Amino acid sequence: MKLEALIWDLDGTLAETERDGHRVAFNRAFADLGLSWQWSEARYGALLHISGGRERLLHDMATHADAPGLPAEREALARELHRRKNQHYASLLADRALPLREGVLPLLDEALSAGLRLALASTTSRSNWQALVRALHGKLRSEDFGVQICGEDVSCKKPHPEAYLAALECLGLTPLQAVAFEDSPGGATAAQAAAVPVIVTPGAYFTHCSFEGCLAIGASLHQRSGWRPAPSKAEGRVTLDDVRHWHALADHVAYHP
Ligand code: XBP
Ligand code: MG
């Protein structure tokens, strides 16, 4: 099956946005509303198994005695906090852009030059994708991603496959004509549940997680060392040839730290 498209997750995969981006922005939103809640780096990591910022807020409210009692009030508070969080996130990025993960940009460029299509399949809000694009001043071009599935486009967030199924439908491709790039167990599960082969570069919060059934897994697209299956060459970054090679092998590997 010919490889036609690369489908990218955003948070943790294109860029490390969680610890110094979303987490800090959530904490600013709590302070805005006079709440004493603050998410430490460790607490935020534990909450990341909940996809979606609003959903994460609702989940965490169960642990706060001063959270509203009624479900409708909690929902309203989560919406307001989430709205403010996304505003803070955009200003944080405008002040100090979070870089793309190493090795991402050359692979994007190589794929485009080779005529492959790029898609985004993220459960983050569209405004967060746009904020990252803006902050990177032309390094990451929105127009290069012919298909952009964001949190607002799905009713079920990852690990549900909906984002990937929607991306495939918009691309007009079958799952094996694409490869997904993910950083988290939930994201990898979403791609696999849509039958899209997945290449994993664990995000900062997911380096101690196990991943089953990946096409390939490695610490960074920037370097070939340590990848499973091993790329044909030992030196340099992960290239489109490596991706095509893994795609052709369609051999699935597991990773247990
Ligand atoms: C990861 C997420 C997101 C972000 C915050 O998305 O779960 O919810 O943490 O984004 P990805 P929102 O699929 O890109 O890894 O607050 O906009 O939900
Ligand atoms: Mg992710």
Side-chain angles (χ1 to χ4, degrees):
M1 186 74 71
K2 190 168 168 241
L3 180 61
E4 303 281 356
L6 307 184
I7 308 179
W8 294 82
D9 168 53
L10 196 169
D11 295 302
T13 304
L14 286 175
E16 282 291 1
T17 53
E18 297 289 9
R19 190 192 64 188
D20 301 328
H22 291 293
R23 185 186 68 88
V24 175
F26 276 116
N27 285 338
R28 289 187 182 176
F30 296 143
D32 280 352
L33 298 193
L35 293 162
S36 61
W37 312 344
Q38 285 288 289
W39 285 345
S40 66
E41 291 182 20
R43 175 69 186 144
Y44 192 65
L47 287 169
L48 272 181
H49 70 281
I50 306 289
S51 268
R54 192 182 53 81
E55 292 82 349
R56 199 167 294 143
L57 285 161
L58 278 171
H59 175 87
D60 188 58
M61 274 186 211
T63 67
H64 293 288
D66 56 342
L70 294 175
E73 289 171 356
R74 284 192 187 197
E75 185 64 47
L77 178 58
R79 279 191 193 286
E80 180 57 14
L81 285 168
H82 191 236
R83 189 184 67 76
R84 286 171 180 266
K85 185 278 285 182
N86 281 351
Q87 283 177 350
H88 283 301
Y89 180 78
S91 9
L92 272 167
L93 262 57
D95 289 348
R96 191 175 67 87
L98 293 169
L100 291 173
R101 283 187 68 180
E102 286 190 308
V104 165
L105 204 51
L107 188 56
L108 293 178
D109 287 342
E110 211 187 346
L112 285 170
S113 304
L116 269 76
R117 293 154 72 198
L118 300 179
L120 179 77
S122 169
T123 46
T124 205
S125 310
R126 188 167 303 279
S127 66
N128 298 336
W129 159 244
Q130 291 164 341
L132 184 71
V133 167
R134 263 198 317 276
L136 289 169
H137 298 296
K139 261 194 198 155
L140 180 69
R141 296 172 301 269
S142 177
E143 60 272 25
D144 287 342
F145 290 73
V147 167
Q148 301 178 5
I149 307 296
C150 295
E152 294 88 342
D153 302 318
V154 293
S155 44
C156 298
K157 295 189 173 172
K158 298 172 186 176
H160 193 281
E162 190 178 345
Y164 279 97
L165 294 173
L168 288 172
E169 193 180 337
C170 293
L171 287 164
L173 297 177
T174 60
L176 296 184
Q177 290 176 296
V179 161
F181 289 82
E182 279 286 354
D183 72 302
S184 68
T189 300
Q192 288 163 339
V196 180
V198 60
I199 293 178
V200 176
T201 49
Y205 274 113
F206 302 110
T207 53
H208 297 100
C209 294
S210 295
F211 291 87
E212 300 286 339
C214 325
L215 198 60
I217 181 163
S220 166
L221 294 172
H222 178 58
Q223 51 174 31
R224 285 193 175 105
S225 60
W227 274 82
R228 288 189 227 169
S232 47
K233 291 182 203 151
E235 304 294 314
R237 66 173 179 87
V238 171
T239 63
L240 185 58
D241 272 350
D242 297 319
V243 174
R244 287 195 204 277
H245 173 70
W246 288 323
H247 181 252
L249 277 181
D251 219 7
H252 291 164
V253 295
Y255 174 73
H256 301 281

